[in-house]
Amino acid sequence: MGTPEFPEFLRPGGAITGPRPGAARSAPPGGHPVELGLWLFILGDLTLFGLFFCGQLAERRSDPELFRAAASVLNQTFGTVNTVVLLTSSLTVALASDAIRRQRNRRAAALLGAGLALALTFAVLKVTEYTHLVADGHTPDESVAFVYYFTLTGIHLLHLLIGTVLLSLLLRRVLVLGSDQPVGRSFAEAVAVYWHMVDLLWIVLFALLYLVAGS
Amino acid sequence: MADQVTPPPGYRMQEICALAGPGAIVVALVGWLVAGVLPRPPAADDSTADIVAFYGENPTAVRLGLALAVLGLSGIGALTAVISIRMVQMPGQSPVAAFLQMISGAVTWVMLIVPLVIMNVAAFRPDRTPELTVTLNDLAWILFIPPVGPFLVQNVAIAVGILSDRGERPILPRWVAFANLWVGFLFLPGLLAYFFKSGPFAWQGIFSFWLALTAYAAWAFIMGFTIRASLRREYAGSPAAPATVDA
Amino acid sequence: MSTTVRRCLVAWLLLVAVTVLSWYLGGGSADRLGPLTASVVLVFAFAKTWVVGREFMELRSAPRPLRRAFDAWVVLFALLCGSLAFL
């Protein structure tokens, strides 16, 4: 019997529904099924970052020169390369979602692997950039512009690392299942949407910190 | 079939525990208002004189307000207990997430009240050397805002538990899981309070104190009221309650 | 090549092209952006987020209220950032 024995007071009204792996998730009428709760999280996190963007720009109004100085130290080419890296990883993850839907797991695994490699490339480039900046004496102690640069990119990097763990979990799940077995849709969808959010946030961060700040 | 489900003996108690969460927030906010922590908390870049004045000008109000907040926050323990019970009841998963939630919830209760007690230590002898008052104030706030770990673990444990609920009608709706993850993310900038004395990431800043306060208050209300709703749905004898289906 | 794959590839090409253009405007040509160029770069950035949401996050086939909520995020923060940066 799969039903665990709990003391009386822990039982839900006397009835424990047995495990129902793969229980169907309700799809809202019209359009393709999405998990609205997931979007509560995504839009919420986007809004948190939106406030970060506004905070940085509001701070810049009081002393634009500091932000110009910071942007002039940043390497725009580095930032551009990282943007392209993340955009490409988003592409591979989007294609992997499509492959998972078509139950082409080998293809999905290859695409997810590529996405993971690009994610790690981004992280390595970012850390390299940090190392160069700190070696040249540009730390958050230098000015409020660097405070914003390091905290916003740092929080973004943390998001990216969480996304990397999620991608690895999804990849493992796809590999364990082998070819042609359906992968749980809601997890795959959540990981993909989260990953695209990481990409989306970097697009704005790149524009604000590297380009607009220098104007 | 007399299908009026009789609520189990602990039902009423569980409902009270659930509402103790939002109640704790209300009492704590009133306490902080009395103590003067709200509307403007003492800041990391306040001068020594300002900090001494905060504790020394009206020590009775500070003592009373903080005592009230510490007492009120007991509701967090009650809320943690009922979350644990509801999580153990979620079918089809190991109770590890429930126990992790229980442990971390207990720790968050401690982490919420100890800083307030330290503030009360500062207010206990307002005429002591000013540097000591500043140190106690730093200790209280750096203990209060940046150690977000236990809070994060609690949020993630709740989210994992809800998302792996295999019941036909999950005990808590899935959006509550994602709301927990979001709240966890909102706590993250609090970590930066270790590094800043002024600006939005310092402990008094909008991305530390205010964001964490809003997120935590919203969390306690969400958990309290969704758990109460889940209890009512299950035990109040509504015809759709899954409890009535079983033989 | 399925429609989804083709759409993703087109979106990616567009996004990379706009990124390179932004880089050219920002760092490539002059050492300092004028306010006009900077505002173009900001508009590009939020337009890119919209494309990522619509194509990669598959919002184009999502229920209408959700699509509207995402559009609202893009427009709201584009306007807020634009006015904070340039007014």
Side-chain angles (χ1 to χ4, degrees):
Chain A
M1 292 303 282
T3 320
E5 276 306 317
F6 289 122
E8 181 69 38
F9 72 98
L10 286 176
R11 272 186 215 144
I16 294 178
T17 326
R20 289 163 42 86
R25 298 286 164 218
S26 56
H32 93 161
V34 289
E35 171 127 35
L36 287 176
L38 167 68
W39 277 94
L40 173 78
F41 169 78
I42 296 289
L43 287 171
D45 210 38
L46 287 177
T47 302
L48 173 64
F49 266 87
L51 295 176
F52 287 160
F53 304 153
C54 293
Q56 189 253 3
L57 288 168
E59 194 73 41
R60 173 176 166 272
R61 289 168 78 90
S62 57
D63 198 346
E65 211 43 62
L66 285 181
F67 285 84
R68 244 169 244 148
S72 72
V73 167
L74 297 177
N75 188 335
Q76 270 75 15
T77 310
F78 238 117
T80 306
V81 169
N82 253 347
T83 310
V84 174
V85 166
L86 268 197
L87 284 173
T88 312
S89 78
S90 243
L91 173 71
T92 64
V93 171
L95 295 178
S97 302
D98 186 56
I100 285 173
R101 215 166 300 156
R102 290 165 199 281
Q103 297 188 25
R104 297 175 61 179
N105 289 359
R106 288 173 64 118
R107 187 188 157 98
L111 285 163
L112 285 173
L116 261 175
L118 289 163
L120 292 174
T121 309
F122 180 95
V124 169
L125 284 174
K126 199 88 215 93
V127 172
T128 313
E129 202 179 7
Y130 285 157
T131 321
H132 280 300
L133 282 173
V134 172
D136 293 343
H138 304 296
T139 62
D141 292 329
E142 183 175 327
S143 77
V144 69
F146 280 102
V147 167
Y148 271 98
Y149 170 78
F150 279 103
T151 50
L152 297 197
T153 57
I155 295 176
H156 177 264
L157 187 60
L158 185 63
H159 276 66
L160 181 121
L161 294 177
I162 294 171
T164 310
V165 173
L166 290 173
L167 283 179
S168 326
L169 289 175
L170 181 59
L171 176 60
R172 204 192 64 167
R173 200 176 275 204
V174 171
L175 286 175
V176 163
L177 279 176
S179 51
D180 306 334
Q181 270 178 293
V183 179
R185 276 289 305 282
S186 60
F187 181 68
E189 204 169 286
V191 172
V193 170
Y194 177 89
W195 187 255
H196 299 313
M197 180 187 77
V198 171
D199 179 26
L200 186 161
L201 291 172
W202 176 256
I203 289 172
V204 185
L205 281 179
F206 169 62
L208 290 184
L209 298 170
Y210 289 75
L211 301 173
V212 174
S215 72
Chain B
M1 36 183 270
D3 255 359
Q4 197 67 9
V5 178
T6 33
Y11 165 68
R12 194 82 204 134
M13 187 73 141
Q14 288 189 37
E15 204 176 19
I16 292 168
C17 283
L19 292 184
I25 299 299
V26 173
V27 177
L29 289 179
V30 171
W32 287 350
L33 220 53
V34 171
V37 174
L38 291 173
R40 182 194 175 278
D45 55 353
D46 277 353
S47 69
T48 305
D50 285 340
I51 301 290
V52 171
F54 174 81
Y55 291 100
E57 254 170 20
N58 198 348
T60 312
V62 175
R63 291 167 194 160
L64 197 68
L66 292 175
L68 185 63
V70 168
L71 205 58
L73 284 168
S74 311
I76 294 305
L79 178 63
T80 300
V82 74
I83 296 174
S84 312
I85 289 179
R86 295 306 274 159
M87 284 180 70
V88 172
Q89 290 170 341
M90 289 173 182
Q93 63 162 319
S94 90
V96 171
F99 278 81
L100 192 54
Q101 189 284 139
M102 181 156 66
I103 295 163
S104 48
V107 174
T108 65
W109 181 12
V110 176
M111 312 244 348
L112 285 170
I113 64 174
V114 167
L116 300 181
V117 175
I118 293 173
M119 288 181 209
N120 241 336
V121 175
F124 188 63
R125 293 183 207 277
D127 52 345
R128 66 158 72 80
T129 325
E131 284 72 25
L132 286 179
T133 301
V134 171
T135 306
L136 286 172
N137 185 64
D138 283 351
L139 178 60
W141 282 92
I142 288 178
L143 208 49
F144 198 33
I145 303 291
V148 295
F151 294 88
L152 278 178
V153 172
Q154 190 182 19
N155 291 136
V156 174
I158 293 172
V160 168
I162 295 174
L163 291 180
S164 44
D165 184 343
R166 291 273 171 264
E168 198 156 348
R169 292 192 59 184
I171 287 187
L172 287 175
R174 284 170 66 90
W175 69 264
V176 175
F178 291 105
N180 266 279
L181 291 176
W182 182 28
V183 167
F185 273 70
L186 292 178
F187 288 146
L188 280 177
L191 275 171
L192 297 166
Y194 284 130
F195 302 98
F196 299 112
K197 294 196 178 58
S198 60
F201 296 105
W203 80 52
Q204 72 278 10
I206 180 150
F207 292 134
S208 289
F209 179 76
W210 294 104
L211 193 62
L213 179 66
T214 315
Y216 194 70
W219 175 83
F221 275 83
I222 289 173
M223 293 315 294
F225 284 101
T226 53
I227 286 187
R228 188 177 74 147
S230 79
L231 287 165
R232 292 203 159 168
R233 201 183 59 223
E234 207 157 305
Y235 297 134
S238 100
T244 61
V245 175
D246 203 62
Chain C
M1 205 165 23
S2 77
T3 345
T4 317
V5 173
R6 200 163 45 230
R7 284 192 79 117
C8 284
L9 283 172
V10 170
W12 176 78
L13 270 175
L14 182 73
L15 289 165
V16 170
V18 175
T19 304
V20 172
L21 183 60
S22 299
W23 167 76
Y24 174 76
L25 290 173
S29 57
D31 51 346
R32 212 188 121 177
L33 283 79
L36 187 70
T37 328
S39 54
V40 169
V41 167
L42 192 68
V43 170
F44 275 177
F46 278 98
K48 278 156 73 182
T49 64
W50 189 76
V51 173
V52 168
R54 207 178 149 74
E55 296 300 324
F56 289 163
M57 291 169 148
E58 300 185 87
L59 281 171
R60 75 190 132 79
S61 55
R64 205 184 162 85
L66 181 57
R67 238 163 44 214
R68 289 284 164 275
F70 180 76
D71 293 349
W73 181 88
V74 174
V75 172
L76 175 71
F77 282 101
L79 287 176
L80 278 174
C81 287
S83 43
L84 280 169
F86 303 113
L87 292 184

